[in-house]
Amino acid sequence: MRAARLIKMVLLLQSRPAMTAAELAAELEVSERTVTRDAQALSEAGVPVYADRGRAGGYRLVGGYRTRLTGLARSEAEALFLSGVPGALREMGLDDAASAARLKVSAALLPSLRDAPDSAAQRFHLDAPAWFREPETPALLPVVAEAVWEDRRIRAVYRRGESTVERELEPYGLVLKAGVWYLCARVADGHGGFRTYRIDRFGAVDPLEERFTRDPDFDLPGHWAGQAERFARSILRAEVVVRLSPDGVRRLRYAVDPLSAREALAEPGEPDGEGWVTVTVPVESEEVAHTQLTALGAEAEVLAPASLRERFAADAARLAARYDHRSAG
């Protein structure tokens, strides 16, 4: 631990003209007394660390000293390409590797370019989760992520509805979609295709000693795009016929799944005398359709199936009775 801290201290001083003991202590997460001892240890080891005394003093490297300890390790280099998603790095357990990589790159930059990391951070930020949702990091995500990086097989227990299955998997890649983590993997017998698993549905994950050889033709972005499209279509097993006002047409894409809205509005019927149109909306189930279409309020009228229309009619009757009761009171 101390060796890593001493290296980080040198890199910090190499990337800045000077730093106070308090600044170094904050960066290294140690006391100022420890910073003093570390600076002395570096000096005794031949690293020209100089301490400026006084209120404006601090530590700096003398004579343009530059360490050669700026070579990136594989994990640091891989993490660096993900540095635009700090939350995802933290959840996968790669925050320290990314921090070390950014520090090494910063130390290796010319003085005129040393503001580049801060400049980029102020111009780009990725906030992956959807609005109004507090995503929870799956407890097993770091274990799965490590297996992905190392091409190491895993034995996993996966919840599928009310049952569980145990599989030996070859974990190829991780995807973060709207705050939810997924694993793209292949069953280790080598006969099946690639499948997608939600990380939060793993009940247990045990890394195995055996590694696997990756299929060179596997393309994670392409696989995910195809899988997402197939998944979206696979869950749309029912249809609902809905009459929409012009405002309902505009709001439909906010109420139902994007694919459902696109297909429903691709060929809408001719507007009636009130300007309303009739569309057929693919939905996951009648229960889901009831929840989604309720958001449209009076801007939608369900025409079919009859059971869903009756459900909305009952909702309307209850609402009318409630408001009549309150106004009467």
Side-chain angles (χ1 to χ4, degrees):
M1 288 292 291
R2 191 189 187 198
R5 189 175 71 243
L6 292 174
I7 291 172
K8 186 173 183 179
M9 183 174 180
V10 173
L11 292 172
L12 284 167
L13 292 174
Q14 185 172 306
S15 64
R16 306 179 193 182
M19 295 183 70
T20 65
E23 290 172 337
L24 284 168
E27 289 280 358
L28 300 173
E29 298 181 350
V30 296
S31 66
E32 293 186 32
R33 182 174 298 178
T34 298
V35 168
T36 301
R37 289 198 298 264
D38 285 352
Q40 183 177 352
L42 287 171
S43 181
E44 292 173 354
V47 178
V49 176
Y50 180 78
D52 290 317
R53 305 298 179 185
R55 293 182 59 185
Y59 293 92
R60 60 185 175 86
L61 294 175
V62 179
Y65 175 85
R66 301 188 67 79
T67 177
R68 295 181 181 180
L69 297 174
T70 52
L72 293 177
R74 169 172 285 276
S75 63
E76 295 167 347
E78 290 169 335
L80 185 62
F81 288 102
L82 294 171
S83 59
V85 284
L89 283 169
R90 183 173 56 254
E91 293 176 7
M92 287 190 291
L94 295 173
D95 196 29
D96 289 342
S99 176
R102 288 192 294 268
L103 184 57
K104 288 181 179 181
V105 171
S106 179
L109 292 174
L110 294 172
S112 61
L113 299 177
R114 284 181 185 158
D115 65 337
D118 290 337
S119 177
Q122 295 305 317
R123 287 167 172 77
F124 175 76
H125 175 68
L126 176 63
D127 184 9
W131 285 103
F132 314 117
R133 178 184 299 173
E134 291 293 336
E136 295 184 2
T137 303
L140 294 172
L141 176 61
V143 178
V144 176
E146 185 174 1
V148 170
W149 290 119
E150 296 181 353
D151 295 338
R152 188 181 300 279
R153 288 184 175 183
I154 59 174
R155 183 175 292 109
V157 175
Y158 190 73
R159 297 189 300 276
R160 184 176 292 168
E162 297 298 323
S163 62
T164 59
V165 295
E166 184 172 321
R167 293 282 187 270
E168 189 171 313
L169 302 174
E170 296 176 347
Y172 267 68
L174 290 166
V175 176
L176 177 60
K177 170 70 172 179
V180 179
W181 284 95
Y182 297 87
L183 171 68
C184 298
R186 185 165 59 181
V187 177
D189 59 20
H191 297 297
F194 290 95
R195 303 177 184 178
T196 302
Y197 302 86
R198 276 184 61 143
I199 301 294
D200 58 6
R201 292 182 183 168
F202 282 120
V205 174
D206 294 316
L208 304 177
E209 290 297 325
E210 185 179 0
R211 298 175 187 266
F212 65 92
T213 301
R214 297 178 68 89
D215 182 347
D217 294 328
F218 177 75
D219 172 36
L220 180 59
H223 168 78
W224 177 257
Q227 185 79 0
E229 179 74 12
R230 286 191 295 273
F231 175 75
R233 291 187 181 279
S234 70
I235 64 174
L236 301 177
R237 303 185 183 94
E239 290 183 341
V240 175
V241 181
V242 185
R243 184 168 170 261
L244 297 171
S245 71
D247 191 39
V249 170
R250 287 190 293 270
R251 291 165 50 187
L252 182 65
R253 63 191 182 97
Y254 300 108
V256 302
D257 299 323
L259 179 61
S260 298
R262 286 200 306 270
E263 294 196 356
L265 298 176
E267 297 180 3
E270 289 295 324
D272 59 22
E274 299 178 28
W276 289 47
V277 297
T278 299
V279 298
T280 299
V281 184
V283 295
E284 183 175 346
S285 66
E286 186 173 312
E287 183 69 29
V288 172
H290 177 257
T291 301
Q292 292 176 331
L293 296 176
T294 295
L296 297 179
E299 304 306 317
E301 177 188 359
V302 173
L303 303 180
S307 56
L308 183 59
R309 179 178 175 85
E310 291 169 2
R311 195 167 179 175
F312 273 98
D315 289 347
R318 285 197 300 271
L319 280 172
R322 183 175 300 276
Y323 282 101
D324 284 346
H325 171 74
R326 290 189 176 184
S327 60

